[in-house]
Amino acid sequence: MATLEVQQKVVCPECAQIATEHIQQVSALEGLSWWTRISCPMCQTVAEDGGDGYPPEDIRQRLMQAHGIWGLKIPRQQDRHRALVCLRRTLDFSLQERVCH
């Protein structure tokens, strides 16, 4: 299991004061899942969201900005296809989201 987390200050959607947003993405055998939680110490608002598969694009961008883009090098040509099939199934990649060098 691999977990990526981001914590940042955001504007509270209710009172417009400074709140904290926690973002987490987990990759496990069951696939990819994510959640966000905004909590405001001023008005006590808590807002949560989450789901399975890829998070929305803005959340993905924040995770990539915080943790970078990962790559995988597979030296043997005959192993590449098998590895890509496994990654696509496990992480629910679309064909447009993979890049092979």
Side-chain angles (χ1 to χ4, degrees):
M1 179 184 328
T3 302
L4 300 176
E5 295 184 53
V6 174
Q7 180 176 319
Q8 62 189 17
K9 299 297 181 189
V10 295
V11 175
C12 175
E14 295 297 321
C15 71
Q17 297 299 313
I18 301 297
T20 303
E21 180 180 37
H22 299 272
I23 300 171
Q24 187 175 63
Q25 177 177 280
V26 176
S27 174
L29 291 177
E30 301 82 30
L32 195 63
S33 60
W34 62 275
W35 64 267
T36 66
R37 182 175 197 258
I38 296 174
S39 55
C40 179
M42 296 300 287
C43 70
Q44 305 303 311
T45 293
V46 175
E48 295 184 337
D49 194 11
D52 294 326
Y54 285 119
E57 187 61 29
D58 64 317
I59 294 172
R60 287 184 71 196
Q61 292 301 320
R62 285 185 268 168
L63 287 165
M64 285 190 284
Q65 183 179 15
H67 296 281
I69 297 174
W70 292 47
L72 175 64
K73 291 186 180 184
I74 303 169
R76 292 176 14 137
Q77 179 69 34
Q78 61 267 34
D79 295 334
R80 290 182 186 161
H81 176 74
R82 196 171 347 157
L84 287 173
V85 168
C86 181
L87 286 169
R88 284 189 59 222
R89 286 184 184 151
T90 302
L91 300 176
D92 195 27
F93 284 144
S94 72
L95 289 175
Q96 293 80 20
E97 290 171 309
R98 69 171 176 82
V99 178
C100 298
H101 296 282

